Amino acid sequence: MAGQDLMHTQPRPMHWLATATAVSAVVAAASFIQPPDAKATTSPDATAGHHLTAAPDPGRVTFPVDCGPNRLDVVKKASGDLDGDGTTETVAVVRCHSGTGTPPSGVYVLAQPTEAKAAPRIVATLLAPARQRSVQTLTIKDGAISAALLGYSTLDVPRCCPDVHKSVKWQWKGGKFVQSELPAAMSTGRV
C-alpha cells in the first residue's frame, strides 16, 4: 500500500509526546493572553459590576415566633439578590416543631448584619404565623419570591386538611416587598 513506508504515518511514543507538549504550550500561552476586562466568573451579576455576598444563614437568627416548649424549625430557605443592590438575601420559612399536623408558617427576609460576626438581620416579614397559612413551596427567580400557601376556608375545616391553596409572589418595588397573587382560576381552590 502506498505511504506505509513513510515515517510520519506510523506514530511512535515520541510523536505522542511531541503532540502533547505542543498542545500544552498552546493552552498555557492562551491563559496569559486575555482581554483586560476578563472576569473569573460566569455570574451575570458579577459581569454587571455586582459582587454577591454570602447568603445569610437562617440558623443564626432569632425569629419573632413563640413556640412555647417546642423548638423552631427552618423548613425551607432560598437565597438571591432580591432588591438589586448586589447583596444576597435569604428567605426563610419557619414554623414551630410538631410531632403531628402542620403548624402555621412564618416567612422572613434576612440580610447580612451590619457588624462583623453578628447574626443576620430580619429585614421583612412576608407572612406572619398569625395568618394561619402553611408554605408548601418556596422559590426565588429573577428577584421574585414565589410560594404556594395552604390554609383553611373556615374554622370548621379540620386542621389536618387544608382546603385552600394560593400561589403568591413578592417583589421589591418602591422600597418594599409587594405581594401579588396568581389569577384565581390558577391559584385558589379546594384541595
Side-chain angles (χ1 to χ4, degrees):
M1 211 178 243
Q4 283 190 353
D5 58 341
L6 299 175
M7 215 36 183
H8 70 279
T9 61
Q10 299 177 8
R12 306 252 189 263
M14 184 54 95
H15 292 113
W16 292 113
L17 182 60
T19 301
T21 303
V23 169
S24 296
V26 169
V27 170
S31 69
F32 290 111
I33 303 170
Q34 294 185 13
D37 62 343
K39 303 273 190 242
T41 181
T42 57
S43 166
D45 288 326
T47 58
H50 297 273
H51 299 287
L52 295 179
T53 58
D57 178 8
R60 299 185 56 221
V61 175
T62 301
F63 291 94
V65 179
D66 181 11
C67 291
N70 298 321
R71 73 176 186 267
L72 183 74
D73 294 331
V74 176
V75 294
K76 296 180 187 337
K77 65 181 179 177
S79 298
D81 183 2
L82 302 176
D83 55 5
D85 67 352
T87 62
T88 303
E89 290 83 24
T90 296
V91 179
V93 177
V94 301
R95 68 177 183 216
C96 296
H97 182 78
S98 174
T100 61
T102 304
S105 302
V107 181
Y108 302 93
V109 178
L110 311 176
Q112 285 295 359
T114 53
E115 297 177 17
K117 297 187 180 181
R121 302 173 291 133
I122 297 173
V123 295
T125 300
L126 302 179
L127 179 69
R131 300 263 324 269
Q132 297 294 308
R133 298 288 184 249
S134 296
V135 177
Q136 185 178 31
T137 62
L138 176 76
T139 59
I140 294 177
K141 183 177 179 186
D142 299 327
I145 306 157
S146 298
L149 306 178
L150 300 176
Y152 305 94
S153 57
T154 69
L155 292 175
D156 296 331
V157 176
R159 295 298 137 193
C160 67
C161 312
D163 66 337
V164 174
H165 175 269
K166 286 186 179 184
S167 294
V168 297
K169 178 173 79 170
W170 294 275
Q171 275 188 297
W172 185 256
K173 292 181 182 177
K176 63 182 177 179
F177 286 100
V178 177
Q179 179 181 330
S180 59
E181 293 183 22
L182 293 178
M186 296 176 61
S187 66
T188 305
R190 306 273 177 180
V191 288

